[in-house]
Amino acid sequence: MWRAYTATVKPLPGHALPPVPAAPVEAPPPPPPPNPVAALLIKAPVLKAPPPVLDVGLQPGGLDSHRWKDLRRGRTRPERTLDLHGRRAQDAYLAVRGFLLAAQAEGLRCVAIVTGKGPAPEGGVLRRELPHWLNAPDLRPLVLGAAHPAPNQGAVHLLLRRRRRP
């Protein structure tokens, strides 16, 4: 703006304007250093179409009836268990997210999440919220099916999808 203004001003006699310096050639900025934390984060697999909504206790498409019955009756043993007793909802969500991402990265097929039964008839906060968390965009592609094993309504067994190799 200053140069545009000074171009319109006539200098006093004997006082010429200094020559306009050439614009400096700027080197491209150096690339940002790699973020070591971002390299450690595990990303959920990206599917082309979003999977259908997951309902705990209902057989999902793509799962044969024999495997579904085994999961629903508690015959498919979980390889790892996460107990959410005593956690607040936000802490529990972060624990579920980290647990499922780590389990899928390790290649586990069946895991259990213990929410507790909660007060009757609607159940506790964690039990009500777990299906919503499992249907979150970053977790839904990980879970193939979810069921309460027959004797225990305070736990949910999850059948995880196999990890896809790039």
Side-chain angles (χ1 to χ4, degrees):
M1 278 178 69
W2 179 253
R3 286 192 189 128
Y5 173 74
T6 56
T8 62
V9 176
K10 183 178 177 187
L12 292 172
H15 296 285
L17 288 175
V20 177
V25 178
E26 293 184 23
N35 187 349
V37 175
L40 296 176
L41 292 178
I42 301 170
K43 294 187 179 185
V46 178
L47 299 177
K48 292 179 181 170
V53 173
L54 177 72
D55 289 322
V56 176
L58 295 178
Q59 181 176 354
L63 186 62
D64 63 288
S65 60
H66 179 70
R67 187 173 293 273
W68 174 248
K69 283 180 187 176
D70 286 348
L71 181 69
R72 193 184 70 221
R73 292 179 180 165
R75 283 189 243 151
T76 304
R77 296 283 178 209
E79 298 168 86
R80 192 142 313 133
T81 301
L82 173 66
D83 191 348
L84 299 177
H85 281 102
R87 295 186 191 225
R88 294 182 182 152
Q90 186 175 7
D91 297 335
Y93 169 71
L94 294 174
V96 166
R97 185 177 185 280
F99 176 72
L100 290 179
L101 289 171
Q104 208 259 348
E106 292 177 30
L108 303 180
R109 284 290 281 163
C110 184
V111 295
I113 298 178
V114 179
T115 59
K117 292 182 182 181
E122 67 275 346
V125 173
L126 300 180
R127 184 173 178 206
R128 284 193 316 259
E129 290 298 316
L130 183 63
H132 299 291
W133 298 340
L134 296 176
N135 283 302
D138 60 337
L139 295 182
R140 180 60 190 101
L142 303 177
V143 181
L144 184 59
H148 294 289
N152 185 358
Q153 294 294 315
V156 176
H157 286 193
L158 303 172
L159 189 62
L160 301 179
R161 293 183 189 273
R162 290 201 172 115
R163 196 170 60 171
R164 296 188 182 241
R165 304 266 183 221

